[in-house]
Amino acid sequence: PLPTSESALPPRAMGREERMSSTGFVPASACWLAYLLAALVVALCFALPLPLDPWRVGLVAICASTCAIYAVSFVYSNTSVYDPAWCLLPIFVAVGWMATAAAAPSARGWYALALLLVWYARYAIWWPWEGWTVGIHTEDWRYIEMADKVGGPGALYWLLSLTSLHITPSLLVFLASGRCKRSGRRAQLVQRHWEPWTPWRCVSPWVP
């Protein structure tokens, strides 16, 4: 039988996972496809000549890549496909900024990217996602609670899944990491001048 309570989960599982009537099984191949598509969408957003400054290109990229992940979530009827996006999408966007910048990334820029990678490594080690290996057949209990509140996993739930469970958290992590690139005022991933190293620089990539 599948685990349905927190006590039944193995140590360090990713929160409390449950099933609802519509929860579908997402094979590992589909989970990988979701994030390969997300990375491809980010790359296309930065490759296309969009009439936007780099910060806004990053915003478009993270929203568009989130929609790609949502498409897989919807097809397989499992919102938890989105779970690793909190940590992966900021990395994709940061790489896009660095790859398309007018100047070569500075040491400080590489440091900021390294912090994002460490953040993801912490997540992957302490909350390993089964989607990468065996697929997922459960969902976060909060998604199920939301479905119950709106009358089940129907059209309204999937609209809320897009806006509240996909787009909103992507915007939150973008706003948190978006200081890595503040076009026109302060470029964190690409510096055009040398700034001496000080202890303050250890935390300043995200400080205005």
Side-chain angles (χ1 to χ4, degrees), residues 112-196:
L113 179 61
L115 289 179
L116 292 175
L117 292 171
V118 169
W119 182 35
Y120 174 71
R122 180 272 318 168
Y123 166 90
I125 292 170
W126 288 100
W127 294 281
W129 192 51
E130 291 185 342
W132 302 128
T133 54
V134 297
I136 53 176
H137 55 256
T138 57
E139 298 184 74
D140 189 295
W141 65 274
R142 291 165 294 186
Y143 306 161
I144 298 171
E145 186 177 77
M146 175 180 287
D148 290 340
K149 289 181 178 179
V150 297
L156 179 56
Y157 166 74
W158 282 104
L159 176 61
L160 291 174
S161 176
L162 173 62
T163 57
S164 300
L165 304 179
H166 285 77
I167 295 294
T168 296
S170 288
L171 291 177
L172 290 174
V173 295
F174 178 79
L175 292 175
S177 59
R179 293 185 184 278
C180 290
K181 177 67 176 176
R182 298 182 65 185
S183 178
R185 290 177 292 173
R186 184 180 180 185
Q188 299 287 14
L189 283 173
V190 180
Q191 289 177 224
R192 298 178 182 275
H193 59 280
W194 168 257
E195 296 183 18

Side-chain angles (χ1 to χ4, degrees), residues 1-207:
L2 299 174
T4 57
S5 67
E6 188 171 9
S7 61
L9 291 173
R12 298 197 307 191
M14 191 187 299
R16 196 173 87 223
E17 302 287 320
E18 299 180 357
R19 286 177 61 90
M20 58 181 165
S21 60
S22 67
T23 299
F25 172 69
V26 190
S29 58
C31 294
W32 279 95
L33 175 63
Y35 286 91
L36 289 174
L37 284 174
L40 177 61
V41 168
V42 171
L44 286 175
C45 288
F46 279 97
L48 294 174
L50 300 178
L52 301 170
D53 62 73
W55 191 90
R56 288 177 173 80
V57 172
L59 178 60
V60 170
I62 202 167
C63 290
S65 59
T66 298
C67 289
I69 295 170
Y70 172 79
V72 178
S73 296
F74 182 79
V75 168
Y76 284 91
S77 191
N78 194 318
T79 296
S80 278
V81 172
Y82 178 83
D83 286 353
W86 287 81
C87 300
L88 283 174
L89 294 186
I91 295 173
F92 295 166
V93 173
V95 170
W97 278 328
M98 295 180 76
T100 58
S106 66
R108 186 182 178 192
W110 287 111
Y111 169 73
L113 179 61
L115 289 179
L116 292 175
L117 292 171
V118 169
W119 182 35
Y120 174 71
R122 180 272 318 168
Y123 166 90
I125 292 170
W126 288 100
W127 294 281
W129 192 51
E130 291 185 342
W132 302 128
T133 54
V134 297
I136 53 176
H137 55 256
T138 57
E139 298 184 74
D140 189 295
W141 65 274
R142 291 165 294 186
Y143 306 161
I144 298 171
E145 186 177 77
M146 175 180 287
D148 290 340
K149 289 181 178 179
V150 297
L156 179 56
Y157 166 74
W158 282 104
L159 176 61
L160 291 174
S161 176
L162 173 62
T163 57
S164 300
L165 304 179
H166 285 77
I167 295 294
T168 296
S170 288
L171 291 177
L172 290 174
V173 295
F174 178 79
L175 292 175
S177 59
R179 293 185 184 278
C180 290
K181 177 67 176 176
R182 298 182 65 185
S183 178
R185 290 177 292 173
R186 184 180 180 185
Q188 299 287 14
L189 283 173
V190 180
Q191 289 177 224
R192 298 178 182 275
H193 59 280
W194 168 257
E195 296 183 18
W197 181 267
T198 65
W200 171 248
R201 298 296 176 197
C202 293
V203 296
S204 60
W206 285 272
V207 177

